[in-house]
Amino acid sequence: MATARSIVLDLLVKTAEKGAYSNIVLDSALEKNALSSRDKGFATVLFYGVLERRMTLDYIIRAYSKTEFDKLQVVAVQLLRMGLYQLLYMDSVPDNAAVNETVKLASQKQKGFINAILRSFQRDGMKIDYGELSGDAKLSVEYSCPKWLVKMWCNRFGEEKTVNILKSTFGRPPLFVKVNTLRCDADTLIEEFKKDGISARKNKLLSDCVEVDRIGGIEACRAYRAGLFHVQDISSQICCKIVKPVMGETVLDMCAAPGGKSFSIAEAMGNKGKLYSFDLYDGKISMLRDGAKRLGISIITADVNDASVYNENMPMADRVLCDVVCSGLGVIRRKPEIKYKPKTALEEIPPIQKQILKTASRYVKVGGTLIYSTCTLNFDENEAVVEDFLKNHPEFEPEALNLPKECGLEGPMATFLPCCQDTDGFFIAKLRKKL
């Protein structure tokens, strides 16, 4: 019978070998295996924890292993990461249990090697020796983040804010849901959550946003089945407020999947008007349609479309939202594996973003608005893309976002940070087509 630790080991090996998304493989594994609520919680903390602290854990392994790191077997590396993480970061696990239970999962050939490293680290007081590391290099190891990314953020936000961003990438992030205002209000939703033993509270910034403490098995929740809400981070909800949709208008959501922004926009329109939602893949469009049906939304026309290629059949719109493909550096706390992508992967993205924004602008009516957003914290994907667009499209001008004062952000472009606004890292820009 599979245990919490054996399941985590299997998931870590799969993630390392196949590059699967952490949230998808974990949800699937927990659904298939009959674990207690306590064991599911343990597996979740250990799985995400190892991913989040991977570089720190590997730094320790390199210091204690006589075998070169690159020559270690994948399973051995994952077991050492699991054992070290429990020793360092899981106070609820006794040290001997952390070692013994990890060694149990090893093959007969690996048991001695893994036991020796974990015991040696334990005898040394379980302290990380950073040696002569300093500056970006020390922050990289300490917060398990590639040095190039630490340097980029330090140059952009300063070291103090960067450290706070790095700290925010650890642990489970807050869970926000958007109230389906077509069917209920925040107070009603909170009362419905109580019936399933779920604690929730109103958000201070948005009246139709609720923060939920625990909601495991979301599809089993009665409020979910009744279509009273959808899951959506507060930064994304704020983005939809900035779109400022009006009843009876025509709105385009160019990169809509999985559908959260389309749902929020449709609700703000009172389910009256025309909302066209697009994505590259048919499977995602099917999910979007199912979500709209569950929420009782009928104004969404969802279809497959390449946002980077002009479609002459597309209607002109009052408002066009481009929540474009990006590197995802703003959602590391939800998908920690994102931070380990090579720097070169980022270089391929801005040209695609520029093309999508350029194409989308052709659908905007005179006097209409164009919203550009990403869930990343990278100047080249954010401000640089907007500035390049404005330089080449004088028919558009920046327009103030008019965010709530509590956000502490002003102007036509804004970057939300997990450490400042307690949101995902998010960028929004608002442009208007001149009359």
Side-chain angles (χ1 to χ4, degrees), residues 158 211 216 326 408:
E211 183 175 356
C326 68

Side-chain angles (χ1 to χ4, degrees), residues 209-345:
C209 175
V210 170
E211 183 175 356
V212 181
D213 285 340
R214 181 191 62 80
I215 198 167
I218 188 172
E219 292 182 2
C221 170
R222 281 176 285 187
Y224 179 85
R225 296 197 303 271
L228 302 186
F229 72 92
H230 67 270
V231 176
Q232 186 179 25
D233 186 68
I234 188 171
S235 58
S236 182
Q237 293 188 42
I238 289 173
C239 179
C240 295
K241 296 289 186 183
I242 290 170
V243 174
K244 212 170 182 179
V246 177
M247 287 185 183
E249 287 188 335
T250 298
V251 181
L252 304 185
D253 187 354
M254 301 304 299
C255 309
K261 292 186 182 66
S262 287
F263 302 153
S264 292
I265 290 170
E267 290 163 10
M269 294 170 71
N271 203 31
K272 295 177 181 179
K274 295 180 180 179
L275 174 54
Y276 298 87
S277 304
F278 303 101
D279 193 83
L280 264 177
Y281 305 104
D282 187 61
K284 291 184 177 182
I285 289 299
S286 294
M287 290 175 60
L288 196 155
R289 288 171 180 157
D290 290 343
K293 183 178 180 181
R294 179 180 64 83
L295 295 165
I297 296 170
S298 59
I299 65 168
I300 294 178
T301 299
D303 211 344
V304 174
N305 181 70
D306 185 345
S308 66
V309 179
Y310 181 72
N311 184 344
E312 61 182 13
N313 296 318
M314 197 81 74
M316 296 297 287
D318 301 282
R319 301 168 200 277
V320 177
L321 171 61
C322 294
D323 186 48
V324 298
V325 59
C326 68
S327 58
L329 297 177
V331 293
I332 289 174
R333 63 182 183 172
R334 301 187 189 278
K335 300 175 182 177
E337 66 276 11
I338 285 175
K339 63 183 173 181
Y340 304 122
K341 289 181 180 180
K343 183 181 179 182
T344 52

Side-chain angles (χ1 to χ4, degrees), residues 148 152 327 329 342-350 378 381:
W148 67 263
M152 183 181 83
S327 58
L329 297 177
K343 183 181 179 182
T344 52
L346 273 67
E347 298 170 359
E348 306 167 0
I349 301 175
N378 177 15
E381 297 180 63

Side-chain angles (χ1 to χ4, degrees), residues 5 14 82 84 136 148 160 164 167 180 189 202 210 267 269 274 280 302 309 312 370 373-374 397 430 432:
R5 286 183 175 87
K14 283 182 180 178
M82 288 171 60
L84 290 169
D136 296 343
W148 67 263
E160 182 180 353
N164 288 330
K167 287 179 179 178
N180 181 0
L189 178 59
K202 291 182 183 178
V210 170
E267 290 163 10
M269 294 170 71
K274 295 180 180 179
L280 264 177
V309 179
E312 61 182 13
L370 175 62
S373 64
T374 75
E397 59 185 358
K430 186 175 185 179
R432 181 171 293 279

Side-chain angles (χ1 to χ4, degrees), residues 46 77-78 128 175 187 197 218 221 240 276 303 314-315 322 344 371-372 382 398 420:
L46 181 57
V77 170
Q78 299 299 348
I128 304 172
L175 176 62
D187 291 324
I218 188 172
C221 170
C240 295
Y276 298 87
D303 211 344
M314 197 81 74
C322 294
T344 52
I371 306 297
Y372 176 84
N382 295 339
C420 295

